[in-house]
Amino acid sequence: MHDDRSLVEARLRRVLDERIRPAVYPESVPLDVAVWHAPGEPVPVDEGLAAEPGPIEVGARWGAPWGTSWFRVTGTVPEEWAGRTVEALLDLGFDENMPGFQCEGLVYRPDGTPVKGLNPRNQWVRIGAPVAGGEQVRLHIEAASNPVILDYHPFRPTWLGDKDTAGHEPQYTLTRMDLAVFDETVWQLVLDLEVLGELMAELPADAQRRWEILRAVERALDAIDLQDVNGTAEQARARLTDVLSVPAAPSAHRISAVGHAHIDSAWLWPLRETVRKVARTTANMTALIEDEPDFVFAMSQAQQWAWVKEHRPEVWARVKKAVADGRFVPAGGMWVESDTNMPGSEAMARQFVHGKRFFLDEFGVENDEAWLPDTFGFAAGLPQIIRAAGSTRLLTQKISWSQTNKFPHHTFQWEGIDGTRIFTHFPPVDTYNCSMKGSELAHATRNFKDKGRARHSLAPTGWGDGGGGTTREMVAKAARVRDLEGSPAVVWETPTEFFRKAEAEYPDPPVWVGELYLELHRATLTSQARTKQGNRRSEHLLREAEMWAATAAVRTGFAYPYEELDRIWKTVLLHQFHDILPGSSIAWVHREARATYQRVAAELDEIIDAAQRALAGEGDRPLLFNAAPHGHHGIPAGGAGEEQRPEEVTVSERPGGGRILSNGLLRIEIDARGLVVSAYDLAADRETIAPGAAANLLQLHPDFPNMWDAWDVDAFYRNAVTDLTDTDELSVGEDGRSVRIARSFGSSRVTQVLSLPPGERRLLIDTEVDWHETEKFLKLAFPLDLHAERYASETQFGHFHRPTHTNTSWEAAKFEACNHRFIHLDEPGWGVAIVNDSTYGHDVTRAVRTDRDRGTTTTVRVSLLRAPRFPDPETDQGVHRFRHALVPGAGIADAVREGWRINVPERRLTGAREVAPLVTVDNDAVVITAVKLADDGSGDVVVRFHEAHGGRARATLTTGFEIAEVRATDLLERPLPEQAEHVGNTVKLQLRPFELKTLRFTPL
């Protein structure tokens, strides 16, 4: 027999496109349309419905960027359509290839009841099935003219990303506003042919099944009268019945489809637009649940649920009913799908506290899984946090985007820094926007790496990023492949149902130890520096506010600000979303974030000041309040007292130019270029800086990645570098104890102040950059005379080691990595720490010197600033301030302590009395990260701490109040089975390396 596959397949494509799909709506009549354009920001629904619209015709342009237009569509169902199914087709000017990235709408009835959302793949509204004929139709559409930021020519700079710069040019053309007859038989035929055509294309060319499908499709096409598709569709479907009813092989891969709409809480749209995106999507999904009895939809991010509750109570009522029916599933147990690399320890914990508590309070649902399909890699401290929140599982997908190395597992145990393991699944479908295409399902089957040991995988199904969710077409396709030969078997299931099956069939999966590093989007550790600084500062201010307020509440009866702290925490957690904190959102998002962080700081400073004044009382004694978890200058951690001033610092001229700083512990030589050519540890009699090298070296690279400008830095950026060594000015600071350096480069200027605090073994480097570069990358380099094969960088509740070499492609791919407050390198007995107050990205390289010394130079470079032009064309332009410290002779304990110190400086206040800490611990290896009152308002004191040095620790925790009871709890402050005993007001502690614990104290 001749091979006519291509002939039949080409025939199928053309007949579907030109005849069958158009026949789904064989008859239509136009609707009358009028429009009112809201003059500014979106208005309440009542106001939009009441506004008087003006006329508009199909074909007219509408919608200024970020505008809101209220369309009113009216019409009458023709009498002759009685007994038929009728839908309104409402095309606002959609591009079907851009669901979630274009204009969108939410349809309302005249009484304000929401009906469903409109998006490029969901343009219909059911009027009746069947209709009686003669019905009056009146619908209102709240249409958002969100501009297309990421289009067919992606990553080109655009001013559309901020309402203030986007202009007023209409963005869309009103395309279709009709009433139409919906022919369900033809619609079903379309889906029959799509499923079979897509399945056929994935089968081997010599497979019997492929040829059987081909011949069945050919017979169906022969049965269609192209001039009467509607009249012949039923007989065409009949010719496909046999081939669609052949069951799947018993060994077929099993896919749990989970209805999903991964909605970015902000990205190429502002936060206020996400509120409406969530409303549109949830309206659609609750409607689809009512129509499709097998369909299950899962939504993560408690913040988005809270938005629906607050802003769309009518939709919320439908959501609550669907949740009660088990069909609309809260997933993930986090406040938002946050970045997990940069959030600090306590913030990462609070993502789960606030997320899980919302779902428990609203629905009584306990989430077992963390749901993070799109997050840009996962820090090694996360498994312990997930477990401490009462969850045991993780789902992610983004690791499939890695450029260099393919991750070796799809189902595995992920082990964190403390040894905690989390059952983890990474869907082999390789998308969190699965649409049930045959190519996607076949890819999931072929790609699944655990064949022979496991058979189940999960497929998040529905349009996401900008929302939309699952469509009726996806549900119909899933029904056809539920049990179909040649296809994996698909069933709608909740995440919990999937994980139960996966764990049961794969009780001993492989183990992956350490971070889940994404070999892509590395520049998100640096882009939008002000957003990152706002996050870091907010995290530490929240810690201070809770600790001082709790101390004042116990000691003085101070009114603990429960509601204020809860609200502020949720605001900070929202801004840790994985396109806000990473710096990959439009300019509007980051402009608002800067203003939000300023408000947060002002509120928290007020709380801190009020609590400290309550503690100190009225008086004129100069007091120093120390909120860091380690004592400093005689002030205990969490207490206040008078500062004990150590000896002074000397500044002298350096032979050959420059200055020398000395404080009896360190001797720092700064040459005439303003570079640190020596950092001598006097006690250890050891030099820190590599021979012939200089630290505090600013380096500038070109930075134009191949894609994803704000997200990516590609390895080739290192091929060209400019050392910034020209000095405009080098002088002694006004305090007589520091050195000031100024230099210019390009269109920018940098001023640095180098100082050596009295009695401390750290060189402070304060850097101010007036940044006006484009597509450049600014680094601060420290070449160290250290032979280190690995280094430590702080992560949540501990630190994580990475190699300094590039033996394998896995190591070479980590050319930009994340740290929190410190990086630490050492040889046995001596090390160096570099600490920071607000930066995250860095790189570490090593080289063997070729001179007679033949020693090893290990260079740490801190990433300061970038200047990508997409999606924000003015990313980080303007003035920035950074603080770093070089700490010679540092062990890991010093790195931990100095990292906290630079982030939580002491506060000065006058008062009447010293303040004793509310809680103390007698071992510096045990770091207290939170002291607060219990969230339930009981007055109990909650203390969270962890072992921070990477070894076992014994310690005694002492409270500054009498204890009635102490209990170990999870992160949500719920009692755990393990016992916690106290003797008087002390508790004996034994901690494993990096172990995290929470204790709840009931005062007497």
Side-chain angles (χ1 to χ4, degrees), residues 688-690 695 782-787 825 832 834 849 856-860 886:
T688 305
I689 309 303
F782 299 87
L784 307 174
D785 190 12
L786 267 174
H787 180 83
L825 307 92
V832 177
I834 295 169
R849 300 189 286 272
T856 300
T857 297
T858 304
T859 301
V860 177
L886 175 68

Side-chain angles (χ1 to χ4, degrees), residues 517-545:
Y517 180 92
L518 176 64
E519 296 171 0
L520 194 75
H521 294 357
R522 302 168 181 90
T524 58
L525 302 173
T526 306
S527 296
Q528 297 288 0
R530 293 186 191 91
T531 298
K532 292 170 170 58
Q533 289 178 324
N535 172 74
R536 179 77 71 85
R537 184 68 178 136
S538 297
E539 289 180 351
H540 289 102
L541 286 171
L542 276 161
R543 180 184 184 277
E544 283 194 79

Side-chain angles (χ1 to χ4, degrees), residues 128 154 162 390 441 463 483 498 502 515 587 639 703 798 896:
D162 195 326
L441 302 180
W463 301 116
D483 189 14
F498 161 75
E515 66 183 334
D703 184 16
V896 172

